[in-house]
Amino acid sequence: QVQLVESGGGLVRAGDSLRLSCEVSGRTFSSLAMGWFRQAPGKEREFVAAISWTGDSTVYADPVKGRFTISRDNAKYTVYLQMNSLQPEDTAVYYCAAAWTTLLPTARNRYDYWGQGTQVTVSS
């Protein structure tokens, strides 16, 4: 069983930065594509970023391109989301997800495991 635990959320001001972490249990981390999604109140969960199991490929949603960076450390079984220039519209619960694939999935239904989420609130 693969378990994901996010951390690093909090309350920040517009323009600030945060780094989210997602620690993955199990030795299979290096075989998993990893993604970040977010869900704002009253909205559907949306794709934010994904990274391939090798770490060589990444993909981002348009609203976060140039501001967010996804990375992974396979030795630490951890994936990160560096978020810069945060805006109030980035306020959401952020979820880490894992997928058994060599591809770079952006759809929710392509992911097999999910974390419990971490709240990010950006004030104006």
Side-chain angles (χ1 to χ4, degrees), residues 15-98:
D16 286 351
S17 298
L18 273 178
R19 188 176 80 158
L20 305 182
S21 299
C22 173
E23 188 171 352
V24 182
S25 66
R27 297 184 176 183
T28 55
F29 177 69
S30 60
S31 301
L32 296 165
M34 300 297 299
W36 286 96
F37 288 74
R38 66 186 182 185
Q39 187 166 17
K43 295 187 177 181
E44 291 191 355
R45 194 171 298 186
E46 64 176 5
F47 171 77
V48 174
I51 188 167
S52 63
W53 65 282
T54 60
D56 293 340
S57 298
T58 58
V59 61
Y60 297 91
D62 286 343
V64 307
K65 281 181 181 177
R67 299 188 299 125
F68 291 11
T69 302
I70 188 171
S71 62
R72 65 190 295 158
D73 185 336
N74 285 353
K76 295 183 178 179
Y77 299 162
T78 302
V79 62
Y80 304 98
L81 186 68
Q82 177 67 43
M83 304 185 295
N84 298 330
S85 302
L86 282 162
Q87 300 300 316
E89 52 265 36
D90 295 316
T91 295
V93 177
Y94 283 71
Y95 297 90
C96 175

Side-chain angles (χ1 to χ4, degrees), residues 94-108:
Y94 283 71
Y95 297 90
C96 175
W100 289 110
T101 180
T102 58
L103 302 177
L104 210 56
T106 60
R108 284 185 299 171

